[in-house]
Amino acid sequence: MISAAVPLSCAGGGDFSLIHFFLLSDNMASSEDSATEKLTAPDRVTPKGDTSIFNSMAFRGIAYQVLLAAFVILGGLYLYINVNANLERQGIATGWSFFNENAGFDIGESPIEYDSEDSYGFALWVGVLNTLRVAFVGIILATILGVFMGIARTSRNWLLSKVANVYVEICRNVPVVLHVLFWATVVRFLPHPKQAITPFDGAFLMNRGIVFPIPNEHPAYIWVGVAFVLGVIGAIFLGRWAQRWREMTGQYIPTFLWGCVIVIGLPLAAWLVQGAPLTWNVPALRGFNFQGGMALSPEYAALVVGVTVYTAAFIAEIVRAGIQSVPHGQIEAARALGLRPRFIMHYVTMPQALRVIVPPTASQYLSLTKNSSLGVLIGYPDLVNIGNTTLNQTGQAVEAIAIMMIVYLSISLAISTFMNLYNRLVAIKER
Amino acid sequence: MNDTTPSAAANPRHTAPPPTERVAMLRWMRENLFNSPINSMITVIIALFLVFALPDFIQWALFQSVWSGDHEACRAATGACWAVVGEKHRPMLFGVYPYDQHWRLILALVIYLSVIAATMTPAFWKVKILMPLWIFNLIVTLILMWGGVLGLQPIETSQWGGLPLTMVLFTGTVVFGSPLAVLLALGRRSHLPGIKSICVVFIESLRGVPLITILFVAVNVFPLFLPEGLEFDKLLRVMAGMAIFFACYQAEVIRGGLQAVPRGQIEAAEALGLSYWQLMRRIVLPQALRICLPGLVNHIIAAFKNTSFVLIIGLFDILTATTAVMEDPVWRIFFVEAYLFVALIYFVFCFALSKYSQLVERWLGEGRRF
């Protein structure tokens, strides 16, 4: 009933009033003076005798810009003077000399060696690395979960699409702060190390975090890594060559299959050639805590799970929209040509869907990286957390916050540059 | 097509009885659950999972849960402890606001939410109705919260808390942020290089940093900007920070809408002799805002969720209040129930808003169908 009545009002008078709804303040003023408001002649058609410089578009343009620039510069100067005066009055030092002073605080976890004797600068660097550690792992996990959920939402299986739908709606309508806080509390209430939960042999979940076994270090692994990189490069070249071959001869080479063989096979071969060394570093309970294996702190686990689950819901929506943006006729045409389903996915659906998917996904990656700053909330030593400690200890708020902003800006810039490059690969090639 | 017409009875092909409901259901299942071997497998796996997990969950949430009573009863039960919500909902919803004054907040919330409901009804979409309604709403709710007049006990903003504070932050963000967003978007589309570059730098640098850093600036750095002796309320500073942050994101959405307005519209308006502001207000913005409505609503929802970031700087919004309440050693093990309650409040608001925006899109789409 409502939907039938409203279009009428939309087409008529209601049309304009919806916009008033957005521009309330603006339009209140306009409704008063609209009667007296006369439509003046545009400045370009200068009437005879009215050649005042104030009516020149060029002059006005310059004047506006000069005024704005003056406002920005003078305003900045005023704030600068105030900040200096305030800092002097409160006896707070300025400048970057605190960078080399002893930090004097401990950091719960660090990918590089750090102790409280190290400098503030080094402590902040540890924070940057910790932030990147969350962002990198979070982006990978969120992409996997998000793509899976997005495809599940478009599935022809009713049950699967409904389950994915419920996940997306619940997760994206609850603030990320609550996600992170919830998981942090869950981890805190896990059992003590002595009663740790073992999801599989050698792995333990407890209130001190998560530990799981990793292979012991061995010189052979360097060559495995080299072989992996070579395999990836080889697969890329194979893909290019196969495409050219297909265009020339019409013969299809299963690139994906052979690519997988190269990427997995080369490192495997390198490993086997060197005698297949493999011993596991299994965590074991010693005293009150586990030794050995790979340990993830509870804060890290909570932060990664929280931001991943939240961001994946958004990525799932983007993937769904991307897949559904491909006109159905495209797929029908491909079927009519006799393409097999996986070729339809590879050559028809994905190239068109990716154009829609990539740009918004890039901004989701950015927001995940920025949301990793919630570490400060749950005690994970990310950049904001360490910056905040620095701020509280030195009192140099301006410098500490400036560092955080500069680092995040650089990370954002790096991610968006990378995603723009990728976007150029998948964007429509107009010739 | 003609199945229901009387002539169908005369046609022998239409005399077969309609499929029974059972057959229809089986057919629906075959088409939607078992339409391929892989899909059948997925269906079975999910169904098995649901059969095992769902009854346990329902038992936990409904049948074995404790709805009222003290923490002893909760510890004795195996189910959820909803009693924690009953016991603690006042400090969760209203924070540290004086207990005997809570009626003021309840009244303010009722007024506020009914004004929002009215705003969402198309019949009220007139400036002459909405503008006075919102001015009345803001004045009344602020008087109720602040007090100090009409015999109401004055309450400092530092004592405001819970859901009303979330609403105040959200409203302030959107009300102050939206006009700024329009200005920034117009500035970024300006042909004057000076104005354009300042807007680009402002928007992009704020979009590149986390909201937390903006809040830190509002709390730690902003007081340093002011001359000695001049101070701003912390709540106001945080609100300003969130509004600016919101405006930068919204400006990008509006810019997308501005770009989608056909060039001919602008040329026609210029030919009619409209000035820049007339052109924008009467021709471009109405079309642009309608085009980017879904994006606008998305960021309004995001602004609501972002109010929870104030937990970090110690303003008592609903999430901070809940976290503080759950420090209570007696009740703290029932954090899941408490967080679920808060999550439900956020969910209801955000979900309703997103469904509403889809509805509005449909209304607008119907009006525009050529």
Side-chain angles (χ1 to χ4, degrees):
Chain A
M1 229 34 226
I2 290 174
S3 60
V6 168
L8 287 176
S9 70
C10 276
D15 193 5
F16 214 89
S17 45
L18 175 79
I19 301 315
H20 287 191
F21 163 53
F22 287 107
L23 293 171
L24 283 173
S25 54
D26 208 11
N27 271 294
M28 271 310 278
S30 80
S31 57
E32 285 164 20
D33 60 9
S34 61
T36 55
E37 204 171 49
K38 293 220 176 74
L39 301 182
T40 49
D43 306 308
R44 267 163 283 172
V45 195
T46 318
K48 265 186 202 164
D50 188 11
T51 48
S52 160
I53 192 169
F54 293 105
N55 285 340
S56 144
M57 287 274 267
F59 174 78
R60 280 192 186 184
I62 292 168
Y64 290 146
Q65 293 179 69
V66 167
L67 280 178
L68 186 65
F71 175 74
V72 170
I73 292 170
L74 290 180
L77 206 63
Y78 174 71
L79 296 183
Y80 180 76
I81 292 168
N82 274 341
V83 168
N84 269 349
N86 280 322
L87 288 178
E88 204 169 313
R89 193 161 41 79
Q90 294 172 11
I92 297 171
T94 51
W96 303 96
S97 58
F98 73 94
F99 248 62
N100 299 319
E101 287 166 22
N102 267 1
F105 56 85
D106 281 314
I107 296 178
E109 57 185 306
S110 160
I112 48 177
E113 285 291 321
Y114 168 89
D115 67 73
S116 56
E117 300 285 297
D118 282 317
S119 65
Y120 279 114
F122 192 70
L124 288 165
W125 174 240
V126 170
V128 173
L129 292 179
N130 275 335
T131 292
L132 290 177
R133 215 152 65 93
V134 173
F136 185 72
V137 174
I139 284 175
I140 291 172
L141 293 180
T143 309
I144 295 170
L145 186 62
V147 168
F148 175 78
M149 285 293 173
I151 293 174
R153 277 200 73 183
T154 61
S155 164
R156 284 171 61 213
N157 186 319
W158 181 84
L159 202 55
L160 185 61
S161 75
K162 281 289 167 272
V163 168
N165 198 4
V166 168
Y167 163 79
V168 167
E169 290 299 351
I170 288 179
C171 286
R172 70 179 185 150
N173 283 320
V174 171
V176 62
V177 183
L178 190 48
H179 276 285
V180 171
L181 207 59
F182 179 82
W183 290 109
T185 323
V186 166
V187 174
R188 212 168 64 190
F189 279 92
L190 280 175
H192 292 286
K194 291 208 166 161
Q195 292 104 35
I197 306 166
T198 40
F200 58 89
D201 237 13
F204 300 94
L205 282 172
M206 57 185 162
N207 60 5
R208 299 269 182 89
I210 300 166
V211 286
F212 51 87
I214 49 165
N216 276 320
E217 271 182 50
H218 192 278
Y221 291 144
I222 298 168
W223 292 106
V224 174
V226 170
F228 176 76
V229 172
L230 285 178
V232 170
I233 295 171
I236 292 170
F237 273 100
L238 176 78
R240 293 211 173 154
W241 174 78
Q243 192 179 354
R244 221 174 302 140
W245 184 255
R246 186 169 52 83
E247 282 165 5
M248 260 165 49
T249 65
Q251 279 176 329
Y252 169 73
I253 295 158
T255 329
F256 185 75
L257 193 71
W258 284 109
C260 283
V261 168
I262 294 175
V263 170
I264 298 169
L266 269 185
L268 200 68
W271 181 62
L272 287 174
V273 162
Q274 295 179 68
L278 180 64
T279 49
W280 289 95
N281 183 358
V282 183
L285 190 63
R286 300 233 173 78
F288 292 108
N289 214 341
F290 281 88
Q291 301 282 317
M294 177 80 173
L296 300 177
S297 73
E299 296 85 13
Y300 178 79
L303 190 57
V304 167
V305 172
V307 295
T308 299
V309 166
Y310 180 74
T311 313
F314 286 88
I315 294 180
E317 268 302 275
I318 293 166
V319 169
R320 178 193 62 83
I323 291 175
Q324 287 178 349
S325 75
V326 179
H328 202 63
Q330 294 276 328
I331 292 153
E332 281 168 356
R335 271 197 210 127
L337 286 174
L339 257 67
R340 275 183 256 162
R342 58 181 170 160
F343 291 154
I344 297 179
M345 197 66 181
H346 186 183
Y347 291 114
V348 180
T349 313
M350 276 333 264
Q352 299 188 62
L354 275 181
R355 275 170 214 154
V356 182
I357 291 173
V358 168
T361 307
S363 64
Q364 285 306 319
Y365 289 170
L366 290 176
S367 89
L368 186 146
T369 308
K370 285 180 263 166
N371 283 339
S372 73
S373 59
L374 284 171
V376 68
L377 184 62
I378 58 172
Y380 175 74
D382 76 323
L383 173 65
V384 172
N385 196 348
I386 291 174
N388 197 23
T389 314
T390 307
L391 189 162
N392 289 334
Q393 287 195 5
T394 62
Q396 292 189 254
V398 181
E399 287 88 349
I401 294 171
I403 288 172
M404 295 181 212
M405 289 186 155
I406 290 166
V407 170
Y408 274 103
L409 270 178
S410 318
I411 296 174
S412 300
L413 215 60
I415 293 179
S416 53
T417 309
F418 177 77
M419 290 306 282
N420 278 341
L421 282 178
Y422 183 67
N423 192 32
R424 210 170 294 161
L425 276 180
V426 298
I428 301 176
K429 309 272 190 307
E430 288 190 34
R431 297 192 176 95
Chain B
M1 267 298 167
N2 294 329
D3 283 359
T4 51
T5 56
S7 66
N11 190 335
R13 283 198 297 147
H14 288 281
T15 50
T20 61
E21 228 166 82
R22 216 174 92 82
V23 173
M25 208 179 90
L26 282 177
R27 189 171 155 197
W28 179 88
M29 282 175 72
R30 204 171 59 229
E31 276 176 2
N32 291 295
L33 295 176
F34 301 99
N35 44 20
S36 75
I38 292 176
N39 268 346
S40 306
M41 214 168 73
I42 294 172
T43 305
V44 170
I45 291 172
I46 296 177
L48 277 178
F49 177 76
L50 289 182
V51 164
F52 279 110
L54 215 52
D56 280 353
F57 178 75
I58 292 172
Q59 286 283 333
W60 176 82
L62 293 179
F63 297 117
Q64 287 170 2
S65 56
V66 180
W67 290 86
S68 62
D70 59 357
H71 62 96
E72 298 292 340
C74 277
R75 274 165 213 271
T78 54
C81 175
W82 301 118
V84 69
V85 177
E87 176 80 17
K88 298 286 188 190
H89 72 276
R90 291 287 280 266
M92 274 159 80
L93 285 175
F94 302 124
V96 288
Y97 206 82
Y99 193 84
D100 56 340
Q101 302 291 319
H102 280 182
W103 63 270
R104 284 160 55 178
L105 295 182
I106 297 171
L107 190 61
L109 270 180
V110 168
I111 294 174
Y112 183 86
L113 290 177
S114 27
V115 168
I116 285 201
T119 310
M120 291 166 95
T121 319
F124 287 85
W125 289 355
K126 301 252 163 52
V127 182
K128 278 183 196 144
I129 300 176
L130 280 186
M131 195 72 190
L133 194 63
W134 271 91
I135 292 174
F136 162 83
N137 179 22
L138 293 181
I139 290 174
V140 170
T141 46
L142 284 180
I143 284 178
L144 276 171
M145 290 183 74
W146 239 312
V149 286
L150 305 173
L152 292 170
Q153 180 191 333
I155 313 274
E156 292 277 314
T157 56
S158 57
Q159 285 184 293
W160 292 11
L163 191 56
L165 185 78
T166 300
M167 291 297 182
V168 165
L169 278 170
F170 169 63
T171 316
T173 305
V174 175
V175 167
F176 295 126
S178 299
L180 185 61
V182 172
L183 287 182
L184 281 172
L186 291 179
R188 197 171 178 170
R189 293 267 295 163
S190 167
H191 57 270
L192 304 173
I195 292 178
K196 184 176 176 171
S197 51
I198 286 176
C199 287
V200 169
V201 169
F202 189 77
I203 292 174
E204 290 305 328
S205 50
L206 261 77
R207 273 159 43 92
V209 298
L211 178 57
I212 295 179
T213 56
I214 311 262
L215 297 183
F216 279 161
V217 169
V219 173
N220 294 312
V221 179
F222 191 80
L224 297 175
F225 283 155
L226 299 175
E228 197 183 343
L230 192 61
E231 268 182 43
F232 268 115
D233 190 58
K234 184 178 175 186
L235 178 60
L236 209 60
R237 277 182 274 148
V238 169
M239 200 191 281
M242 294 182 100
I244 292 172
F245 188 75
F246 169 77
C248 288
Y249 280 83
Q250 205 70 300
E252 285 299 278
V253 176
I254 296 172
R255 183 168 71 107
L258 290 174
Q259 282 173 349
V261 174
R263 178 88 200 130
Q265 294 278 328
I266 298 163
E267 282 165 359
E270 276 176 348
L272 286 174
L274 263 61
S275 75
Y276 178 79
W277 289 108
Q278 286 171 331
L279 163 71
M280 284 304 159
R281 204 167 59 208
R282 304 259 183 237
I283 310 292
V284 177
L285 279 175
Q287 298 184 60
L289 292 179
R290 170 186 265 185
I291 291 168
C292 60
L293 185 70
L296 293 176
V297 177
N298 272 348
H299 283 294
I300 290 175
I301 294 175
F304 185 73
K305 288 186 288 180
N306 279 347
T307 55
S308 56
F309 273 80
V310 299
L311 172 55
I312 293 154
I313 48 158
L315 279 185
F316 258 72
D317 79 324
I318 183 164
L319 195 54
T320 318
T322 306
T323 312
V325 165
M326 292 323 285
E327 292 299 315
D328 184 341
V330 170
W331 290 97
R332 62 188 294 180
I333 62 164
F334 306 111
F335 71 94
V336 173
E337 291 85 342
Y339 281 146
L340 280 181
F341 173 67
V342 179
L344 184 72
I345 293 177
Y346 281 109
F347 177 82
V348 166
F349 191 90
C350 298
F351 188 71
L353 208 52
S354 72
K355 286 290 161 207
Y356 173 74
S357 95
Q358 288 170 9
L359 203 65
V360 172
E361 259 173 77
R362 239 187 23 237
W363 294 342
L364 292 180
E366 280 174 20
R368 305 204 90 195
R369 201 171 286 154
F370 303 118

